[in-house]
Amino acid sequence: MFTSARIKITAWYLLIIMTISLAFSLFIYRVLSQEIYRFARTQRFRIEGRFFIANISPPSPDIELIEETKNRLVMTLVVINGTILAISGTLSYFLAGHTLRPIQQMVEEQNRFISDSSHELRTPLTALKSSLEVNLRDKKLSLSQARKLMAENIKEVDELQSLSDGLLTLTRYNSSPTPPEFKKVHLADIVAQAVTKVDSLLLKNEIILKNQVNDVTFTGNRQSLIDLVVILLDNAIKYSPAGSTISLSSNAKGKTVSFSIKDQGMGITAKDIPLIFNRFFRSDVSRSKTEIGGFGLGLSIAKKIVDTHHGHISVISSLNKGSTFTVSLQV
Ligand code: ADP
């Protein structure tokens, strides 16, 4: 597909360049031909004048020389146009490839995204379908068992809904890399809003939260920054044992403000650290522990939010001791 598009663009570039070049050559040929005739005529008049004075008949104009000069001019123009055709053909092909490369990368990325998403959706959908089919065939299924099954199915549908929400969020950030509204925001307000959203989770998982964030004002998109803190807090809660503490702190230095979320959870292995921001990545531990829900989209969304703010996100972690995620943004 891209090769044929590249060839078509090259052909269009060549058509434009060669039309200009040929029109220009034709113009040069016309002008120079007239000039050759004019020059020959002037020379003839001069010679005729001399012969008139000397009283002898002048020689006839050299038509052959004129034709030869014109032929040589045509040959030169053909060679110039041929060279232009060869050089511009190569350059046009290179330029067409260069123009199409970002579009090709975008289409490839979109295809990868669609195939990854379909793959992730297929597994829970197949599980849901087979559980429904098995129970439908069970003639002895009691009302209480049916209720239990429906409750389980609703939980699975909820998870699928959260997967589709995550995919939509990721698509939104992919298609529009800059959040629409960048305004003055307060770090303390963003963190407070995010904490409110995870309050019930903190309570349910018996986790203590220490909020030591100082208020700093900077420019950003309030809603996406709240989403970012919620993602990091949600992970910190998910991967921490009951009774542990999550600490939130901030630091402002020069034109940079950073905030950290430190947990005392299971930590991340060194080999997984470079992969955790990839879409759909989940560590083996997270995958094997079925009670820890998730689809590996949170941190890739977090990274996109940080990128739209031209910031930086990093993690320091040691296994079974905990992790610290730090986000640095420009004030
Ligand atoms: P999800 O949590 O849905 O699996 P994320 O993209 O948020 O997806 O995280 C990717 C992976 O990074 C998780 O599966 C987990 O292995 C690891 N991870 C993220 N945050 C933490 C954390 N605070 N503690 C330990 N592991 C974490």
Side-chain angles (χ1 to χ4, degrees):
M1 176 190 157
F2 279 97
T3 315
S4 82
R6 189 177 187 176
I7 291 168
K8 268 186 207 159
I9 294 177
T10 307
W12 275 109
Y13 283 163
L14 271 182
L15 185 73
I16 295 165
I17 294 167
M18 289 321 292
T19 307
I20 296 169
S21 173
L22 286 173
F24 201 62
S25 302
L26 205 71
F27 174 74
I28 288 177
Y29 178 73
R30 285 244 169 125
V31 170
L32 285 184
S33 297
Q34 279 168 7
E35 283 302 304
I36 290 165
Y37 275 120
R38 206 175 60 83
F39 180 72
R41 226 181 296 133
T42 321
Q43 282 297 91
R44 212 176 99 206
F45 285 144
R46 262 195 217 138
I47 292 163
E48 272 175 359
R50 274 198 217 131
F51 278 93
F52 180 73
I53 294 163
N55 209 9
I56 39 174
S57 59
S60 55
D62 200 343
I63 300 289
E64 261 181 36
L65 187 68
I66 293 173
E67 283 308 313
E68 197 192 316
T69 314
K70 276 174 68 182
N71 285 344
R72 235 185 275 156
L73 177 65
V74 169
M75 279 311 294
T76 312
L77 288 174
V78 167
V79 170
I80 290 173
N81 275 287
T83 315
I84 289 177
L85 182 72
I87 295 173
S88 59
T90 316
L91 283 178
S92 299
Y93 190 70
F94 171 78
L95 210 72
H98 191 72
T99 312
L100 285 173
R101 198 165 307 134
I103 304 170
Q104 184 175 10
Q105 280 167 353
M106 203 178 77
V107 171
E108 280 169 5
E109 170 60 23
Q110 268 178 358
N111 287 343
R112 247 195 321 270
F113 184 74
I114 293 168
S115 97
D116 286 354
S117 311
S118 318
H119 182 77
E120 289 296 320
L121 278 165
R122 223 171 53 194
T123 317
L125 278 175
T126 312
L128 188 64
K129 187 174 173 238
S130 38
S131 129
L132 284 169
E133 279 173 349
V134 167
N135 284 285
L136 196 68
R137 268 190 247 119
D138 185 358
K139 295 209 169 71
K140 290 179 203 141
L141 189 76
S142 67
L143 187 64
S144 68
Q145 279 172 320
R147 273 183 197 283
K148 198 174 154 226
L149 174 75
M150 278 193 267
E152 278 168 14
N153 287 344
I154 286 175
K155 232 167 95 183
E156 278 161 34
V157 171
D158 280 347
E159 279 193 14
L160 279 169
Q161 214 167 20
S162 92
L163 170 60
S164 87
D165 287 348
L167 287 173
L168 275 175
T169 312
L170 208 55
T171 314
R172 190 155 46 85
Y173 280 110
N174 275 338
S175 55
S176 126
T178 317
E181 269 184 273
F182 257 66
K183 281 184 181 165
K184 265 212 152 79
V185 289
H186 293 266
L187 183 61
D189 161 58
I190 286 164
V191 172
Q193 287 298 317
V195 171
T196 314
K197 292 197 178 205
V198 296
D199 249 352
S200 56
L201 273 178
L202 285 166
L203 217 70
K204 191 175 145 205
N205 290 274
E206 297 164 32
I207 287 177
I208 304 143
L209 187 90
K210 266 198 207 160
N211 185 355
Q212 291 158 333
V213 167
N214 295 319
D215 196 18
V216 186
T217 314
F218 60 101
T219 313
N221 183 268
R222 186 172 176 269
Q223 192 48 54
S224 57
L225 288 169
I226 293 173
D227 291 346
L228 166 70
V229 182
V230 168
I231 291 169
L232 297 177
L233 276 175
D234 187 51
N235 277 348
I237 298 168
K238 256 192 334 193
Y239 300 110
S240 292
S244 64
T245 304
I246 294 174
S247 314
L248 292 169
S249 59
S250 65
N251 188 12
K253 224 188 245 172
K255 285 202 168 298
T256 309
V257 56
S258 60
F259 61 91
S260 300
I261 296 172
K262 184 175 183 215
D263 66 56
Q264 297 170 331
M266 61 167 70
I268 309 162
T269 57
K271 78 169 174 42
D272 285 347
I273 286 184
L275 307 171
I276 55 171
F277 295 101
N278 292 352
R279 194 174 56 215
F280 297 119
F281 177 83
R282 300 203 78 207
S283 72
D284 292 340
V285 192
S286 316
R287 279 187 193 279
S288 58
K289 291 199 174 184
T290 45
E291 71 269 21
I292 304 182
F295 293 95
L297 287 178
L299 286 182
S300 54
I301 296 172
K303 174 88 171 65
K304 289 267 174 224
I305 297 172
V306 174
D307 287 347
T308 57
H309 285 79
H310 309 292
H312 180 71
I313 181 164
S314 60
V315 58
I316 296 171
S317 185
S318 52
L319 220 52
N320 300 321
K321 282 195 180 142
S323 314
T324 306
F325 282 84
T326 304
V327 175
S328 306
L329 302 168
Q330 299 301 310
V331 178

